[in-house]
Amino acid sequence: MMTKKRAVVSYENMSEELAAAFAEKYPKGFSDYLPDLIKYDKPDGSCFYAVMLEIPDAIYLVKIKVKTDDADELERWLDGDDDSEGDAGETDEALPDDNISQYGGDDANDVE
């Protein structure tokens, strides 16, 4: 079994193939991918938000620009610390491996 390529790409810089796969997975756009949005901390202390997108030969983290008036509130929502106490068990399982160092890419070092 061959290991798939792993890369980080900005939403704005996706290839046509990746953009088509993104549109297929998230046909409604923002409202579709928001539940899959995960914060990734970079070694320099900054962070970015991304969704995982898998195509036949690669797995991508697609960086999504997130703007919010209250970053702490967004963090609580992403961590599942809102008012709901759901037992779905999906909090840490949205992405099977959160080790972002395995993802390469030309914009992996972007500072936003």
Side-chain angles (χ1 to χ4, degrees):
M1 185 167 95
M2 187 172 171
T3 302
K4 290 186 177 192
K5 169 186 160 185
R6 294 174 180 263
V8 177
V9 64
S10 294
Y11 178 83
E12 296 82 5
N13 296 332
M14 288 190 290
S15 67
E16 286 184 32
E17 176 189 19
L18 197 57
F22 191 91
E24 184 177 323
K25 183 173 182 180
Y26 302 113
K28 295 178 186 171
F30 180 79
S31 63
D32 273 358
Y33 68 71
L34 190 60
D36 293 341
L37 198 62
I38 297 175
K39 177 184 173 189
Y40 293 93
D41 294 316
K42 297 195 307 190
D44 66 2
S46 65
C47 66
F48 66 93
Y49 293 86
V51 295
M52 187 175 73
L53 185 60
E54 188 168 352
I55 59 174
D57 61 343
I59 300 173
Y60 288 92
L61 290 180
V62 179
K63 291 179 7 180
I64 308 290
K65 290 187 179 184
V66 174
K67 293 183 181 181
T68 179
D69 291 336
D70 187 347
D72 291 334
E73 183 177 320
L74 178 63
E75 286 300 315
R76 286 191 300 275
W77 182 84
L78 286 172
D79 290 339
D81 294 339
D82 57 3
D83 295 333
S84 64
E85 295 287 329
D87 291 336
E90 296 182 30
T91 53
D92 294 332
E93 309 206 7
L95 186 64
D97 47 17
D98 61 358
N99 177 7
I100 65 166
S101 64
Q102 66 187 328
Y103 291 87
D106 53 352
D107 57 344
N109 294 323
D110 284 356
V111 177
E112 298 189 32

